[in-house]
Amino acid sequence: MALPVAFFALFFAWPVAAIVARGLRVDGVWRFGRITDVLTQPDIRHVLWFTTWQALASTALTLLAALPAAYVFARLDFPGKQVLRAVVTVPFVLPTVVVGTAFLALVGRGGLLDDLWGVRLDTTVWAILLAHVFFNYAVVVRTVGGLWAQLDPRQEEAARMLGASPLAAWRKVTLPALGPAVAAAALMVFLFTFTSFGIVQILGGPTFATLEVEIYRQTSEVFDLSTAAVLTLVQFAAVGAVLAVHAWTVRRRETALRLVDPKVTARRPRGTGQWALLTGVLATIALLLVLPLAVLVQRSLDAPGLGYYRQLTNTDGGTFLVAPLQAVWTSLQYAVAATAIAVVIGALAAAALARRDAGRLVRGFDALLMLPLGVSAVTVGFGFLIALDKPPLDLRQSWILVPLAQALVGAPFVVRTMLPVLRAVDGRLREAAAVLGASPWRVWREVDLPMVRRALLVAAGFAFAVSLGEFGATVFIARPGNPTLPVAVARLLSRPGDLNYGQAMALSTILMVVCAAALLILERLRVDRTGEF
């Protein structure tokens, strides 16, 4: 636990505390009365209410849409499954500003729905909710499906032989086993939608605003750092409460599970029900995920002769110090470094948290690990600039600052992906190895690692994907000469003109292709090199 605790203390707790102190401390005096002043404002109470209920609605809709897909990817085998799994994950790594723009092109003025049926949703909350489902669909599919694929189907079959109906067997055997993974996925979706920024900023307009949007507005437009600090504390407290409830309820439902090779559990669809379910999932993916991506590609090809793509090789002194295409290589370098950091930190934390004899202090750290997903990325970005500007941690001019910020978001995904599988490993296997003389390191290498190798690869893929798409904190700390892809897209979208918009769509398309290729490689490695369980 030493390294994960030190990492989160230095690069999360300290920067956030620094920015909050800067906002609430005036002339050396703490102004705690400012908290009451801010929270009694009607517009702030409206923001708090909207932030909460839209996050709950988005989470429910995402689970409803994605759980059938989690079953399909876990239990059914069909042609193109690996490619489709990569396609499902691509929306999650897109910058939120690009997701918002894609849905604006679909449901806004002059969008696809407006052209075909004269329907516009950009002035309603439905556009935000659908965009959130689009963005978080992969979280449920990969988190729940990853564990579902390893559950021994013979447990459910045994219940069927004892007289249980298919629904009763699923409800009493499979669902309780999936409970921790479903709860973890719901938690991640709720945190992402609770702190939604880019999507609400574009689709919400002046009518709808989350806490994250209000913090950004108070910081960069109104320049009221004290109000932003109060809202950060409120967001911090709300997320902490959710995580505490999650840790208290989910842990009581976790039991040792029988895990098997995922290749054994996946079978060709059988019967009308499974074929109908597969067809419905494919239709949902086509309409909800592929269609917005197709709009992005179509917009990037509007200029004749791939004009927008050719412009990416030119240096635009008004926006970038380098050619926009350089952002692709920069993002890949940062993402690889951030993935390495996140996997090391997250794997160590998950291994410690999975121990049955872990104390309350260690188990409490489980909830704290998720806080970076629920705290304003704007706050973290500003906090990096304020806290990490003096020796011995003067990192403002160092390239490592961006991967550190990205790893903060990636590490919780590593923990949440690996922890259910680690806790499902039968402790008697470790005890038997120890009795036979194996050292703790050898027990981990020969007992735990073969069981969690698949989860480790999935976790690395999540961390890499998150790092490629991270925007909130990176926008404040990325160097002007080394912008990441999300930062480059946001800068182009902020400038008027068809050329800038087209280049933003072209960069977004390149990001989709890069992510799809990386995820497809990951899927092949996971399938080809996962050993017998």
Side-chain angles (χ1 to χ4, degrees), residues 447-494:
V447 176
D448 291 83
L449 184 58
M451 299 288 288
V452 302
R453 182 160 38 195
R454 178 178 183 274
L456 184 62
L457 287 174
V458 173
F462 257 133
F464 182 80
V466 170
S467 299
L468 277 179
E470 204 286 324
F471 171 72
T474 306
V475 69
F476 295 102
I477 57 180
R479 294 182 181 182
N482 292 296
T484 62
L485 272 171
V487 172
V489 170
R491 290 180 183 176
L492 288 169
L493 287 175
S494 66

Side-chain angles (χ1 to χ4, degrees), residues 41 84 96 159 166 246 255 288 406 433:
Q41 298 177 15
L84 191 63
T96 54
H246 173 268
T255 57
L288 184 63
Q406 295 173 343

